[in-house]
Amino acid sequence: MTTLGSSLQPLPLNFPHDFLPERSLLSRLLPFASTNGCGDKVQIGTETGIPTGESSGKVEPMIHYARGMGLIRTDKDAKRWQLELTTLGRLVAVEDPYLSESVTLWLLHLMLCRRSTLDDPAVGVADAWFALFAEGTLRLGNRFDQNAYLDYLIERHGKKGYMKGLSGLVLRSYFEQTCFGPINALSSKELDGQTLYLRHAAPAERSHFPAYSAYLFLVWDDLYARYSQVAIADLFMQSRCLALLGWNQEPATRWIDWMVDHRLLQLDRQTGGALALRLQDTETVIAGIFNELV
């Protein structure tokens, strides 16, 4: 096995293979990855209890989901996978092993929707998610139907036989309580016999600010690895952070002030646009994700 791959590498567009990101199955990967578990998908299925078979099954889609969410790093040699927990994965495995807390689910949602590199055009780690939540506000508006989302995916990737199923799966994952349903990132309503989907902003609550901060530092590592100081407007724009959160300037300012007050960032406003200087490393910020929970 070689050095385990970065979680930043884009996932195959159709990595879910019609399987939803079930939290109960994702949680079963964490103990396996905690021991740097290794095996083919059948062996991993046997050890974790995740259903799989020789030609299909849920093991590999769950591995891809967990990598996209930043919980694990992976390597694959022939048919054998090796998994290890990231810093985020190690914390979640201890503090929220069943992925049930709102702060955990919002963070995993943001990570799945994050941008892959600064290359143009912008592409996400899981691009069907990135397209909908990070780029889709301008293209689709805040209210849209599945056909509009499907057309947008086809614009980005061309016509593919699985595209309609993929568009439905992404949407459905936010209505299933076993997946992202509890965070209410999307809702739906019927209008003239048509199902319309509506986006909802992330909670602008102190309890969630540490998780959003961990996300920001992780994407900073991804996109601006060589810089300890960047223009915060550029960081937000390039990462699509505020679009993902669904926030205007008021909640964003409260969150930034919280990061400054907690000595995560220092802001220099003397240059016109505010420059953000990192005062903590990413591991320290990740360690504080659950600190504001009562």
Side-chain angles (χ1 to χ4, degrees):
M1 292 283 179
T2 58
T3 302
L4 298 199
S6 167
S7 62
L8 184 62
Q9 297 300 316
L11 299 166
L13 183 62
N14 193 35
F15 75 87
H17 291 292
D18 297 326
F19 295 117
L20 292 164
E22 298 176 63
R23 290 182 281 132
S24 63
L25 300 184
L26 290 168
S27 69
R28 296 182 192 182
L29 281 178
L30 301 183
F32 182 81
S34 72
T35 62
N36 294 343
C38 184
D40 64 25
K41 63 181 181 179
V42 174
Q43 292 170 317
I44 295 173
T46 299
E47 289 203 37
T48 62
I50 299 173
T52 201
E54 290 288 350
S55 59
S56 64
K58 298 184 178 182
V59 164
E60 291 187 329
M62 294 307 124
I63 289 172
H64 288 311
Y65 276 122
R67 183 165 76 87
M69 294 171 182
L71 293 170
I72 64 172
R73 285 182 289 269
T74 67
D75 185 45
K76 190 179 183 185
D77 183 0
K79 293 183 178 180
R80 291 174 62 80
W81 288 91
Q82 183 179 351
L83 313 181
E84 72 176 21
L85 293 176
T86 61
T87 301
L88 174 61
R90 289 194 297 272
L91 179 74
V92 170
V94 171
E95 297 288 346
D96 188 15
Y98 300 109
L99 314 181
S100 59
E101 293 283 356
S102 174
V103 293
T104 305
L105 291 178
W106 270 106
L107 177 54
L108 299 185
H109 160 69
L110 294 172
M111 291 293 286
L112 195 60
C113 296
R114 66 193 151 135
R115 186 173 180 176
S116 176
T117 71
L118 287 176
D119 294 344
D120 287 320
V123 174
V125 170
D127 196 63
W129 273 262
F130 177 78
L132 178 59
F133 289 99
E135 302 269 81
T137 303
L138 291 177
R139 174 62 174 76
L140 301 173
N142 202 48
R143 181 181 298 183
F144 58 93
D145 63 12
Q146 184 180 341
N147 285 335
Y149 174 40
L150 173 59
D151 289 344
Y152 183 38
L153 288 179
I154 291 172
E155 284 180 18
R156 293 174 72 92
H157 297 283
K159 288 188 176 181
K160 302 180 189 299
Y162 57 75
M163 205 68 92
K164 184 173 182 180
L166 177 61
S167 66
L169 179 143
V170 173
L171 296 171
R172 197 164 71 252
S173 66
Y174 290 87
F175 293 87
E176 295 289 341
Q177 291 301 302
T178 57
C179 303
F180 283 121
I183 67 174
N184 195 35
L186 287 178
S187 64
S188 65
K189 63 183 293 184
E190 297 295 321
L191 184 64
D192 298 328
Q194 182 182 36
T195 301
L196 295 178
Y197 296 92
L198 293 85
R199 288 188 193 82
H200 297 284
E205 300 170 2
R206 286 177 62 94
S207 61
H208 287 58
F209 285 174
Y212 304 150
S213 302
Y215 162 74
L216 188 69
F217 272 62
L218 284 162
V219 297
W220 190 328
D221 290 345
D222 289 343
L223 302 179
Y224 295 96
R226 294 180 295 132
Y227 300 93
S228 61
Q229 187 175 44
V230 297
I232 198 162
D234 287 345
L235 179 60
F236 283 167
M237 179 183 68
Q238 296 293 350
S239 67
R240 311 298 197 265
C241 177
L242 297 186
L244 284 173
L245 292 167
W247 287 357
N248 58 26
Q249 194 58 46
E250 191 275 329
T253 298
R254 285 196 284 117
W255 172 41
I256 293 168
D257 290 344
W258 182 92
M259 287 190 284
V260 170
D261 291 344
H262 286 75
R263 301 291 296 163
L264 306 185
L265 296 179
Q266 177 179 305
L267 290 189
D268 177 5
R269 293 188 172 90
Q270 296 180 3
T271 58
L275 293 176
L277 174 69
R278 295 168 64 128
L279 299 180
Q280 303 291 342
D281 59 34
T282 303
E283 290 199 359
T284 300
V285 179
I286 289 172
I289 285 171
F290 298 99
N291 283 359
E292 291 280 353
L293 296 184
V294 177

